[in-house]
Amino acid sequence: MADIPENAPQHCPGTGSTEAGKSSACQGCPNQSICASAATSAPDPAIEEIKEKMSLVKHKILVLSGKGGVGKSTFSAHLAHGLAQDEGKEVALLDVDICGPSIPRMMGLEGEQVHQSGSGWSPVYVEDNLAVMSVGFLLSSPDDAVIWRGPKKNGMIKQFLRDVDWGEVDYLIVDTPPGTSDEHLSVVQYLSAAGIDGAVIVTTPQEVSLQDVRKEINFCRKVKLPIIGVVENMSGFICPKCENESQIFPPTTGGAEKMCTDLNVSLLGKVPLDPNIGKSCDTGKSFFTEIPDSPATLSYRIIIQRIQDYCEKKK
């Protein structure tokens, strides 16, 4: 999990590497002497600060996907809505998809701004018990592009975890970008001392998606991140008129179910395609309250209950 300074040369080994300040790429770098002295290998003080801040958060769940476009942010938004339906639970949703922050629109919060208080940044509330934070709240327009290198992204994630005044929270859901990049390493590194309950990995049934999910599972195992389970999204389409099911994305290699069996990972459930899910995300409304009788709603509720059961056992 080596950090790379913003002004580093192209092939910088990273400040945490044993080659820091010693490799050929370090020649002429302004940070060479300090890296070679091993001063940068000291633990980041932010890790302890985040541990203290996160001591008020009971359960921390990361939502991952190997590939973009599989409905990861949609799942994160509805996981938050579903958990928050229990008015006795405090739920927080953190969007660390720095370059593609879609959570503000999905939660009906587009155009909202973050406010600073004496205890840090105040999150934006959808309901009295559902708080949201996203880089989207810091942009002047939803169409603004976030053109940042890795270190700046990592710095923003550190701020979100350390400086947001979440208060006492039962569930913190972290919506991450697709893949296994800087953002994922930063979240795991900064939350390692505070403890992460685990990751939920979202996929679609076709092999092109499952191939990337296998890499995601491998990533989780390498960084010792527990896997709560896999959700197969867009798992068939149930016609609202005739109720026949069609496979829009055929599971040519057995889908998520076979993959989970092969890799010894839990399958949390399958969510069928429903056009109303996309509509609810575009309008910033909860699918659960809009279409409570949809087969997709029932699938979501079963999956959410399994996630809650997993977290309760982790106590």
Side-chain angles (χ1 to χ4, degrees):
M1 298 184 190
D3 287 324
I4 297 176
E6 198 161 359
N7 59 345
Q10 186 178 3
H11 300 293
C12 172
T15 57
S17 167
T18 54
E19 290 297 304
K22 302 170 187 174
S23 77
S24 58
C26 300
Q27 299 301 317
C29 175
N31 305 306
Q32 183 177 11
S33 58
I34 191 169
C35 287
S37 71
T40 55
S41 61
D44 188 335
I47 293 175
E48 278 303 311
E49 294 167 359
I50 290 167
K51 180 183 177 182
E52 185 177 346
K53 173 73 79 170
M54 289 291 141
S55 64
L56 298 174
V57 179
K58 288 182 185 175
H59 301 293
K60 307 161 196 74
I61 301 167
L62 304 190
V63 181
L64 311 175
S65 73
K67 184 175 290 298
V70 299
K72 170 189 53 60
S73 294
T74 300
F75 178 80
S76 297
H78 284 92
L79 174 58
H81 277 303
L83 291 170
Q85 285 193 316
D86 180 350
E87 294 180 0
K89 300 293 184 185
E90 294 292 329
V91 181
L93 175 57
L94 173 59
D95 180 10
V96 297
D97 192 346
I98 304 295
C99 294
S102 51
I103 289 296
R105 184 172 188 88
M106 290 183 176
M107 303 302 286
L109 299 173
E110 213 167 43
E112 293 287 343
Q113 299 291 317
V114 173
H115 299 287
Q116 189 89 25
S117 68
S119 52
W121 284 349
S122 298
V124 180
Y125 282 83
V126 183
E127 307 285 350
D128 289 343
N129 66 330
L130 177 52
V132 180
M133 178 57 75
S134 168
V135 73
F137 298 143
L138 307 176
L139 305 177
S140 57
S141 162
D143 297 331
D144 282 356
V146 179
I147 308 171
W148 292 354
R149 292 187 184 275
K152 193 167 183 181
K153 291 181 187 178
N154 298 345
M156 178 57 69
I157 291 168
K158 186 190 296 187
Q159 274 193 281
F160 280 155
L161 294 172
R162 182 187 60 194
D163 300 338
V164 175
D165 183 20
W166 296 111
E168 290 192 24
V169 171
D170 293 286
Y171 292 95
L172 172 67
I173 300 149
V174 183
D175 182 43
T176 65
T180 53
S181 55
D182 274 359
E183 292 93 324
H184 305 83
L185 290 172
S186 293
V187 170
V188 173
Q189 180 183 16
Y190 292 137
L191 285 179
S192 57
I196 304 172
D197 286 67
V200 175
I201 304 174
V202 182
T203 185
T204 48
Q206 75 273 38
E207 177 58 27
V208 73
S209 178
L210 296 171
Q211 190 174 37
D212 286 340
V213 169
R214 293 185 189 95
K215 296 170 187 170
E216 200 80 39
I217 291 170
N218 192 28
F219 164 82
C220 290
R221 287 173 172 166
K222 281 186 175 179
V223 299
K224 296 180 172 54
L225 174 62
I227 299 170
I228 299 174
V230 173
V231 173
E232 185 177 88
N233 205 14
M234 309 182 200
S235 181
F237 169 70
I238 300 173
C239 176
K241 293 185 178 179
C242 67
E243 296 188 355
N244 285 330
E245 184 174 357
S246 303
Q247 294 297 329
I248 307 298
F249 301 109
T252 53
T253 57
E257 191 167 0
K258 184 177 185 303
M259 182 198 70
C260 288
T261 301
D262 292 345
L263 297 178
N264 194 27
V265 176
S266 297
L267 178 66
L268 294 172
K270 302 179 180 182
V271 181
L273 267 170
D274 187 324
N276 290 299
I277 295 178
K279 185 178 177 182
S280 66
C281 288
D282 280 349
T283 55
K285 295 177 181 175
S286 169
F287 178 69
F288 299 133
T289 54
E290 293 291 295
I291 318 287
D293 299 324
S294 166
T297 301
L298 177 61
S299 296
Y300 265 119
R301 293 198 187 284
I302 292 170
I303 290 165
I304 290 169
Q305 187 59 56
R306 286 173 177 167
I307 293 170
Q308 285 181 294
D309 292 345
Y310 175 94
C311 290
E312 290 303 314
K313 288 176 185 174
K314 291 272 290 185
K315 274 186 175 179

